[in-house]
Amino acid sequence: MRVLALCAALVSLSGCGLQPIYAGGGDGHVARELAAIEVPAIPGRDGWLVRNALTDRLSRGTSEGGTRYRLDVVLDDQVEGLGLLTDDTIGRERRILRARYQLVDVATATILIDATAGSDAGIDVVGSEFATIAAEQTALENLAQEVADQIVVRVTRTLREQQ
């Protein structure tokens, strides 16, 4: 009975028109297009983290030679105090990382994507200044990964639709 249900599910999936984004693995169309994206330097520590995360995600395929796209990213990194304690000190912070990005076709200077991505994280402010700074840095590292993931998903969908 279970085998029959599994076969029925597989048959219905094959007719729905869904196709894997990374069809063909590292040699597939989308992977090659992602590998042809250049990410220029982004100022600041947050920029360094986001650029490295983007470069790691984009360079998994084999490029057919040269840069075809450029991904321009501008970041806005803010830390704001949220909770006030009875002694008027901040008890909680929120770190917000927002990215405005554009995917540009280098050959035609056409902007294919003009969008934003962002995420935020809550940070407890404790008695140790070192611990608070370490928590802020860890939050920034995690936010950079999240923002890079959002950007790559949007870029991947756009490149897949162009195929």
Side-chain angles (χ1 to χ4, degrees), residues 114-151:
D114 187 359
T116 59
S119 190
D120 61 274
I123 303 164
D124 287 328
V125 177
V126 295
S128 167
E129 195 171 324
F130 175 77
T132 302
I133 292 171
E136 289 174 353
Q137 294 303 315
T138 301
L140 178 60
E141 292 168 7
N142 293 336
L143 291 173
Q145 298 291 325
E146 175 66 29
V147 167
D149 284 341
Q150 292 176 20
I151 292 171

mmCIF file of all heavy atoms in Angstrom, residues 114-151:
data_model
loop_
_atom_site.group_PDB
_atom_site.id
_atom_site.type_symbol
_atom_site.label_atom_id
_atom_site.label_comp_id
_atom_site.label_asym_id
_atom_site.label_seq_id
_atom_site.Cartn_x
_atom_site.Cartn_y
_atom_site.Cartn_z
ATOM 1 N N ASP A 114 17.047 44.804 -9.096
ATOM 2 C CA ASP A 114 17.284 45.925 -8.192
ATOM 3 C C ASP A 114 16.394 45.662 -6.988
ATOM 4 O O ASP A 114 15.184 45.886 -7.048
ATOM 5 C CB ASP A 114 16.950 47.255 -8.859
ATOM 6 C CG ASP A 114 17.334 48.450 -8.004
ATOM 7 O OD1 ASP A 114 17.840 48.254 -6.885
ATOM 8 O OD2 ASP A 114 17.120 49.590 -8.463
ATOM 9 N N ALA A 115 16.972 45.153 -5.923
ATOM 10 C CA ALA A 115 16.157 44.690 -4.802
ATOM 11 C C ALA A 115 16.885 44.911 -3.479
ATOM 12 O O ALA A 115 18.023 45.379 -3.449
ATOM 13 C CB ALA A 115 15.827 43.211 -4.982
ATOM 14 N N THR A 116 16.217 44.547 -2.406
ATOM 15 C CA THR A 116 16.798 44.629 -1.073
ATOM 16 C C THR A 116 16.659 43.276 -0.376
ATOM 17 O O THR A 116 15.786 42.485 -0.697
ATOM 18 C CB THR A 116 16.113 45.698 -0.202
ATOM 19 O OG1 THR A 116 14.723 45.393 -0.088
ATOM 20 C CG2 THR A 116 16.287 47.081 -0.782
ATOM 21 N N ALA A 117 17.548 43.074 0.572
ATOM 22 C CA ALA A 117 17.498 41.892 1.431
ATOM 23 C C ALA A 117 17.877 42.352 2.827
ATOM 24 O O ALA A 117 18.591 43.344 2.985
ATOM 25 C CB ALA A 117 18.465 40.822 0.944
ATOM 26 N N GLY A 118 17.422 41.655 3.816
ATOM 27 C CA GLY A 118 17.784 42.068 5.167
ATOM 28 C C GLY A 118 17.346 41.081 6.211
ATOM 29 O O GLY A 118 16.516 40.194 5.967
ATOM 30 N N SER A 119 17.928 41.272 7.374
ATOM 31 C CA SER A 119 17.593 40.433 8.505
ATOM 32 C C SER A 119 18.002 41.168 9.770
ATOM 33 O O SER A 119 18.761 42.141 9.721
ATOM 34 C CB SER A 119 18.309 39.081 8.408
ATOM 35 O OG SER A 119 17.805 38.188 9.367
ATOM 36 N N ASP A 120 17.498 40.709 10.903
ATOM 37 C CA ASP A 120 17.896 41.323 12.172
ATOM 38 C C ASP A 120 18.024 40.259 13.248
ATOM 39 O O ASP A 120 17.518 39.149 13.104
ATOM 40 C CB ASP A 120 16.907 42.417 12.585
ATOM 41 C CG ASP A 120 15.506 41.894 12.786
ATOM 42 O OD1 ASP A 120 14.759 41.821 11.803
ATOM 43 O OD2 ASP A 120 15.177 41.562 13.927
ATOM 44 N N ALA A 121 18.741 40.630 14.304
ATOM 45 C CA ALA A 121 18.976 39.688 15.404
ATOM 46 C C ALA A 121 18.911 40.433 16.731
ATOM 47 O O ALA A 121 19.344 41.585 16.828
ATOM 48 C CB ALA A 121 20.341 39.026 15.249
ATOM 49 N N GLY A 122 18.379 39.778 17.735
ATOM 50 C CA GLY A 122 18.334 40.337 19.080
ATOM 51 C C GLY A 122 19.572 39.943 19.858
ATOM 52 O O GLY A 122 20.083 38.829 19.730
ATOM 53 N N ILE A 123 20.062 40.879 20.674
ATOM 54 C CA ILE A 123 21.282 40.655 21.457
ATOM 55 C C ILE A 123 21.003 41.072 22.895
ATOM 56 O O ILE A 123 20.520 42.181 23.146
ATOM 57 C CB ILE A 123 22.457 41.494 20.902
ATOM 58 C CG1 ILE A 123 22.698 41.166 19.431
ATOM 59 C CG2 ILE A 123 23.706 41.294 21.737
ATOM 60 C CD1 ILE A 123 23.563 42.187 18.717
ATOM 61 N N ASP A 124 21.319 40.193 23.846
ATOM 62 C CA ASP A 124 21.221 40.546 25.257
ATOM 63 C C ASP A 124 22.456 41.333 25.660
ATOM 64 O O ASP A 124 23.583 40.927 25.376
ATOM 65 C CB ASP A 124 21.114 39.295 26.133
ATOM 66 C CG ASP A 124 19.763 38.618 26.024
ATOM 67 O OD1 ASP A 124 18.764 39.337 25.821
ATOM 68 O OD2 ASP A 124 19.703 37.386 26.147
ATOM 69 N N VAL A 125 22.252 42.455 26.323
ATOM 70 C CA VAL A 125 23.359 43.251 26.839
ATOM 71 C C VAL A 125 23.590 42.790 28.276
ATOM 72 O O VAL A 125 22.705 42.897 29.119
ATOM 73 C CB VAL A 125 23.038 44.759 26.785
ATOM 74 C CG1 VAL A 125 24.171 45.562 27.380
ATOM 75 C CG2 VAL A 125 22.754 45.179 25.354
ATOM 76 N N VAL A 126 24.782 42.263 28.522
ATOM 77 C CA VAL A 126 25.100 41.718 29.844
ATOM 78 C C VAL A 126 26.128 42.611 30.531
ATOM 79 O O VAL A 126 26.606 43.583 29.953
ATOM 80 C CB VAL A 126 25.617 40.270 29.724
ATOM 81 C CG1 VAL A 126 24.517 39.360 29.197
ATOM 82 C CG2 VAL A 126 26.822 40.191 28.833
ATOM 83 N N GLY A 127 26.481 42.256 31.749
ATOM 84 C CA GLY A 127 27.418 43.061 32.527
ATOM 85 C C GLY A 127 28.817 43.128 31.929
ATOM 86 O O GLY A 127 29.527 44.106 32.110
ATOM 87 N N SER A 128 29.209 42.125 31.203
ATOM 88 C CA SER A 128 30.537 42.090 30.598
ATOM 89 C C SER A 128 30.506 42.769 29.231
ATOM 90 O O SER A 128 29.793 42.338 28.322
ATOM 91 C CB SER A 128 30.998 40.639 30.446
ATOM 92 O OG SER A 128 32.127 40.572 29.613
ATOM 93 N N GLU A 129 31.274 43.831 29.083
ATOM 94 C CA GLU A 129 31.327 44.536 27.805
ATOM 95 C C GLU A 129 31.901 43.635 26.713
ATOM 96 O O GLU A 129 31.471 43.681 25.567
ATOM 97 C CB GLU A 129 32.191 45.796 27.956
ATOM 98 C CG GLU A 129 32.019 46.771 26.835
ATOM 99 C CD GLU A 129 32.709 48.088 27.110
ATOM 100 O OE1 GLU A 129 32.719 48.536 28.271
ATOM 101 O OE2 GLU A 129 33.247 48.653 26.146
ATOM 102 N N PHE A 130 32.879 42.804 27.077
ATOM 103 C CA PHE A 130 33.470 41.878 26.116
ATOM 104 C C PHE A 130 32.422 40.903 25.581
ATOM 105 O O PHE A 130 32.354 40.636 24.395
ATOM 106 C CB PHE A 130 34.635 41.114 26.755
ATOM 107 C CG PHE A 130 35.212 40.065 25.873
ATOM 108 C CD1 PHE A 130 36.055 40.406 24.831
ATOM 109 C CD2 PHE A 130 34.883 38.724 26.044
ATOM 110 C CE1 PHE A 130 36.578 39.448 23.989
ATOM 111 C CE2 PHE A 130 35.402 37.749 25.204
ATOM 112 C CZ PHE A 130 36.260 38.122 24.176
ATOM 113 N N ALA A 131 31.590 40.385 26.472
ATOM 114 C CA ALA A 131 30.559 39.432 26.054
ATOM 115 C C ALA A 131 29.538 40.096 25.129
ATOM 116 O O ALA A 131 29.083 39.488 24.158
ATOM 117 C CB ALA A 131 29.864 38.842 27.279
ATOM 118 N N THR A 132 29.186 41.326 25.404
ATOM 119 C CA THR A 132 28.242 42.049 24.554
ATOM 120 C C THR A 132 28.835 42.295 23.173
ATOM 121 O O THR A 132 28.163 42.101 22.145
ATOM 122 C CB THR A 132 27.837 43.380 25.207
ATOM 123 O OG1 THR A 132 27.257 43.111 26.483
ATOM 124 C CG2 THR A 132 26.837 44.127 24.352
ATOM 125 N N ILE A 133 30.102 42.706 23.112
ATOM 126 C CA ILE A 133 30.763 42.935 21.830
ATOM 127 C C ILE A 133 30.871 41.629 21.044
ATOM 128 O O ILE A 133 30.637 41.599 19.836
ATOM 129 C CB ILE A 133 32.150 43.587 22.034
ATOM 130 C CG1 ILE A 133 31.967 45.010 22.559
ATOM 131 C CG2 ILE A 133 32.963 43.576 20.752
ATOM 132 C CD1 ILE A 133 33.245 45.676 23.010
ATOM 133 N N ALA A 134 31.198 40.546 21.733
ATOM 134 C CA ALA A 134 31.285 39.240 21.067
ATOM 135 C C ALA A 134 29.918 38.828 20.521
ATOM 136 O O ALA A 134 29.818 38.294 19.415
ATOM 137 C CB ALA A 134 31.813 38.188 22.037
ATOM 138 N N ALA A 135 28.857 39.095 21.268
ATOM 139 C CA ALA A 135 27.506 38.757 20.803
ATOM 140 C C ALA A 135 27.135 39.598 19.586
ATOM 141 O O ALA A 135 26.505 39.100 18.647
ATOM 142 C CB ALA A 135 26.497 38.968 21.926
ATOM 143 N N GLU A 136 27.522 40.875 19.584
ATOM 144 C CA GLU A 136 27.249 41.737 18.430
ATOM 145 C C GLU A 136 27.984 41.232 17.187
ATOM 146 O O GLU A 136 27.432 41.231 16.087
ATOM 147 C CB GLU A 136 27.658 43.177 18.722
ATOM 148 C CG GLU A 136 26.764 43.881 19.718
ATOM 149 C CD GLU A 136 27.280 45.251 20.108
ATOM 150 O OE1 GLU A 136 28.422 45.617 19.703
ATOM 151 O OE2 GLU A 136 26.561 45.964 20.823
ATOM 152 N N GLN A 137 29.240 40.805 17.355
ATOM 153 C CA GLN A 137 30.014 40.295 16.219
ATOM 154 C C GLN A 137 29.447 38.979 15.701
ATOM 155 O O GLN A 137 29.375 38.762 14.488
ATOM 156 C CB GLN A 137 31.492 40.127 16.605
ATOM 157 C CG GLN A 137 32.196 41.428 16.894
ATOM 158 C CD GLN A 137 32.121 42.396 15.734
ATOM 159 O OE1 GLN A 137 32.323 42.030 14.586
ATOM 160 N NE2 GLN A 137 31.805 43.644 16.026
ATOM 161 N N THR A 138 29.056 38.114 16.597
ATOM 162 C CA THR A 138 28.443 36.845 16.186
ATOM 163 C C THR A 138 27.135 37.096 15.446
ATOM 164 O O THR A 138 26.855 36.451 14.424
ATOM 165 C CB THR A 138 28.200 35.943 17.412
ATOM 166 O OG1 THR A 138 29.456 35.695 18.055
ATOM 167 C CG2 THR A 138 27.558 34.631 17.022
ATOM 168 N N ALA A 139 26.362 38.051 15.943
ATOM 169 C CA ALA A 139 25.112 38.397 15.260
ATOM 170 C C ALA A 139 25.402 38.914 13.850
ATOM 171 O O ALA A 139 24.716 38.543 12.893
ATOM 172 C CB ALA A 139 24.345 39.442 16.066
ATOM 173 N N LEU A 140 26.433 39.749 13.701
ATOM 174 C CA LEU A 140 26.786 40.264 12.381
ATOM 175 C C LEU A 140 27.204 39.138 11.439
ATOM 176 O O LEU A 140 26.800 39.126 10.273
ATOM 177 C CB LEU A 140 27.912 41.301 12.490
ATOM 178 C CG LEU A 140 28.411 41.888 11.174
ATOM 179 C CD1 LEU A 140 27.284 42.587 10.426
ATOM 180 C CD2 LEU A 140 29.568 42.830 11.431
ATOM 181 N N GLU A 141 27.985 38.197 11.922
ATOM 182 C CA GLU A 141 28.402 37.066 11.092
ATOM 183 C C GLU A 141 27.194 36.254 10.629
ATOM 184 O O GLU A 141 27.098 35.867 9.452
ATOM 185 C CB GLU A 141 29.381 36.182 11.863
ATOM 186 C CG GLU A 141 30.716 36.851 12.121
ATOM 187 C CD GLU A 141 31.592 36.105 13.117
ATOM 188 O OE1 GLU A 141 31.211 34.983 13.524
ATOM 189 O OE2 GLU A 141 32.632 36.654 13.495
ATOM 190 N N ASN A 142 26.255 36.007 11.524
ATOM 191 C CA ASN A 142 25.052 35.248 11.164
ATOM 192 C C ASN A 142 24.161 36.031 10.204
ATOM 193 O O ASN A 142 23.597 35.456 9.263
ATOM 194 C CB ASN A 142 24.270 34.867 12.419
ATOM 195 C CG ASN A 142 25.010 33.875 13.283
ATOM 196 O OD1 ASN A 142 25.871 33.134 12.804
ATOM 197 N ND2 ASN A 142 24.704 33.856 14.570
ATOM 198 N N LEU A 143 24.047 37.331 10.422
ATOM 199 C CA LEU A 143 23.232 38.160 9.545
ATOM 200 C C LEU A 143 23.826 38.230 8.144
ATOM 201 O O LEU A 143 23.098 38.231 7.149
ATOM 202 C CB LEU A 143 23.078 39.562 10.125
ATOM 203 C CG LEU A 143 22.238 39.668 11.397
ATOM 204 C CD1 LEU A 143 22.303 41.084 11.960
ATOM 205 C CD2 LEU A 143 20.807 39.257 11.142
ATOM 206 N N ALA A 144 25.156 38.287 8.056
ATOM 207 C CA ALA A 144 25.813 38.315 6.743
ATOM 208 C C ALA A 144 25.499 37.045 5.961
ATOM 209 O O ALA A 144 25.233 37.099 4.752
ATOM 210 C CB ALA A 144 27.326 38.474 6.916
ATOM 211 N N GLN A 145 25.487 35.910 6.620
ATOM 212 C CA GLN A 145 25.145 34.646 5.966
ATOM 213 C C GLN A 145 23.687 34.654 5.495
ATOM 214 O O GLN A 145 23.382 34.233 4.375
ATOM 215 C CB GLN A 145 25.379 33.468 6.918
ATOM 216 C CG GLN A 145 26.810 33.292 7.360
ATOM 217 C CD GLN A 145 27.720 32.846 6.243
ATOM 218 O OE1 GLN A 145 27.328 32.094 5.369
ATOM 219 N NE2 GLN A 145 28.948 33.327 6.260
ATOM 220 N N GLU A 146 22.800 35.151 6.346
ATOM 221 C CA GLU A 146 21.374 35.193 6.006
ATOM 222 C C GLU A 146 21.113 36.123 4.822
ATOM 223 O O GLU A 146 20.373 35.775 3.896
ATOM 224 C CB GLU A 146 20.562 35.651 7.224
ATOM 225 C CG GLU A 146 19.088 35.835 6.965
ATOM 226 C CD GLU A 146 18.355 34.552 6.631
ATOM 227 O OE1 GLU A 146 18.774 33.481 7.083
ATOM 228 O OE2 GLU A 146 17.349 34.633 5.894
ATOM 229 N N VAL A 147 21.711 37.292 4.834
ATOM 230 C CA VAL A 147 21.520 38.248 3.737
ATOM 231 C C VAL A 147 22.089 37.682 2.436
ATOM 232 O O VAL A 147 21.469 37.783 1.372
ATOM 233 C CB VAL A 147 22.144 39.612 4.098
ATOM 234 C CG1 VAL A 147 22.254 40.517 2.886
ATOM 235 C CG2 VAL A 147 21.328 40.287 5.195
ATOM 236 N N ALA A 148 23.257 37.054 2.505
ATOM 237 C CA ALA A 148 23.851 36.442 1.314
ATOM 238 C C ALA A 148 22.937 35.344 0.768
ATOM 239 O O ALA A 148 22.754 35.235 -0.453
ATOM 240 C CB ALA A 148 25.232 35.884 1.627
ATOM 241 N N ASP A 149 22.353 34.543 1.636
ATOM 242 C CA ASP A 149 21.418 33.500 1.197
ATOM 243 C C ASP A 149 20.224 34.108 0.465
ATOM 244 O O ASP A 149 19.814 33.612 -0.590
ATOM 245 C CB ASP A 149 20.916 32.677 2.390
ATOM 246 C CG ASP A 149 21.938 31.688 2.910
ATOM 247 O OD1 ASP A 149 22.882 31.361 2.160
ATOM 248 O OD2 ASP A 149 21.787 31.250 4.059
ATOM 249 N N GLN A 150 19.658 35.180 1.015
ATOM 250 C CA GLN A 150 18.517 35.825 0.381
ATOM 251 C C GLN A 150 18.873 36.357 -1.003
ATOM 252 O O GLN A 150 18.107 36.211 -1.958
ATOM 253 C CB GLN A 150 18.001 36.969 1.248
ATOM 254 C CG GLN A 150 17.366 36.534 2.532
ATOM 255 C CD GLN A 150 16.961 37.707 3.412
ATOM 256 O OE1 GLN A 150 16.816 38.829 2.943
ATOM 257 N NE2 GLN A 150 16.793 37.450 4.690
ATOM 258 N N ILE A 151 20.043 36.981 -1.109
ATOM 259 C CA ILE A 151 20.477 37.538 -2.393
ATOM 260 C C ILE A 151 20.664 36.427 -3.420
ATOM 261 O O ILE A 151 20.206 36.526 -4.560
ATOM 262 C CB ILE A 151 21.770 38.358 -2.221
ATOM 263 C CG1 ILE A 151 21.482 39.620 -1.410
ATOM 264 C CG2 ILE A 151 22.384 38.718 -3.566
ATOM 265 C CD1 ILE A 151 22.728 40.399 -1.005
#
